[in-house]
Amino acid sequence: MFELPVAVDLRTAARALGICSGTAYRLIYEGTFPCSIMRVGRQYRVSTTELMRVLGIEERPLYTVELETGPDSPQNPLNP
């Protein structure tokens, strides 16, 4: 999920939510799709940030090392 672009197509969003594309289109038509939908030309787009929020995924993963040393600590091996 962290490698996705800012917005994804409806098919990708539907797969992430565990539903088929047909169900996704039906939910959009009914106004009950769990994320806000953007219409770009003839295509639907879903914000990756909002999709992750609906799935319960934080925007940035938190690692145990960060909890112990702090995210900006020079002792943190994940800190570039």
Side-chain angles (χ1 to χ4, degrees), residues 1 4 8-9 12-17 33-36 46-57:
M1 290 292 294
L4 291 174
V8 295
D9 63 348
T12 302
R15 286 179 54 205
L17 293 168
F33 194 79
C35 301
S36 299
V46 177
S47 163
T48 301
T49 303
E50 186 170 354
L51 179 61
M52 290 172 61
R53 181 187 55 77
V54 168
L55 293 170
I57 301 170

Side-chain angles (χ1 to χ4, degrees), residues 9-79:
D9 63 348
L10 185 62
R11 183 174 174 231
T12 302
R15 286 179 54 205
L17 293 168
I19 59 176
C20 71
S21 297
T23 300
Y25 281 105
R26 182 177 50 80
L27 293 175
I28 290 171
Y29 178 75
E30 294 172 352
T32 58
F33 194 79
C35 301
S36 299
I37 301 295
M38 297 177 279
R39 186 85 188 240
V40 180
R42 298 184 73 183
Q43 297 182 352
Y44 291 108
R45 295 281 189 218
V46 177
S47 163
T48 301
T49 303
E50 186 170 354
L51 179 61
M52 290 172 61
R53 181 187 55 77
V54 168
L55 293 170
I57 301 170
E58 293 185 31
E59 284 188 43
R60 183 177 165 284
L62 183 66
Y63 298 98
T64 307
V65 173
E66 291 178 352
L67 292 174
E68 294 170 356
T69 62
D72 298 324
S73 170
Q75 298 167 339
N76 184 344
L78 300 175
N79 191 9

